[in-house]
Amino acid sequence: CKDTQVIQVVLDGINNMLKLAGPDVEAVAAMVEECGGLDKIESLQNHENVEIYKLAYEIIEQYFSDDGEEDAALAPQATAEGFQFGADSTAADGAEAPAGGFQF
């Protein structure tokens, strides 16, 4: 849709539905995602209209961002020498790192 006013109204509507969903916000967000709405909102982050870009960005950051769900096991281990990345020597595909580590 090329009419920026229509896009703005639709984004405002989605934003308001998510705001007012209360405890059901995850279910509403899932419905938006299931019908392809998240993909459309993500594509609007590249829109030439700054207001549309900002609103699309805010919706994604507020309701579709996974910032709070980081896996603690993926974080580097802090040691006296610095950070230890990949403390587990076995990769996800079962391959193992060399015994002495990698030499660069």
Side-chain angles (χ1 to χ4, degrees):
C1 184
K2 297 194 188 273
D3 188 356
T4 56
Q5 188 174 7
V6 172
I7 296 171
Q8 183 88 28
V9 169
V10 170
L11 285 176
D12 282 335
I14 292 170
N15 195 24
N16 288 334
M17 286 185 339
L18 290 164
K19 272 185 198 172
L20 298 174
D24 298 323
V25 69
E26 288 184 20
V28 174
M31 285 187 256
V32 170
E33 191 170 356
E34 286 171 9
C35 70
L38 179 57
D39 293 333
K40 299 289 184 188
I41 296 169
E42 285 175 342
S43 71
L44 289 173
Q45 287 184 319
N46 298 320
H47 199 276
E48 65 223 9
N49 184 303
V50 176
E51 294 301 316
I52 290 175
Y53 153 75
K54 285 181 181 178
L55 187 52
Y57 178 80
E58 288 172 12
I59 290 171
I60 290 171
E61 280 297 305
Q62 184 73 30
Y63 303 104
F64 296 97
S65 179
D66 291 335
D67 287 345
E69 299 177 15
E70 291 181 8
D71 188 352
L74 297 178
Q77 303 295 319
T79 64
E81 295 84 34
F83 289 103
Q84 176 76 27
F85 291 93
D88 182 11
S89 65
T90 305
D93 63 0
E96 291 193 24
F102 294 100
Q103 301 297 318
F104 296 101

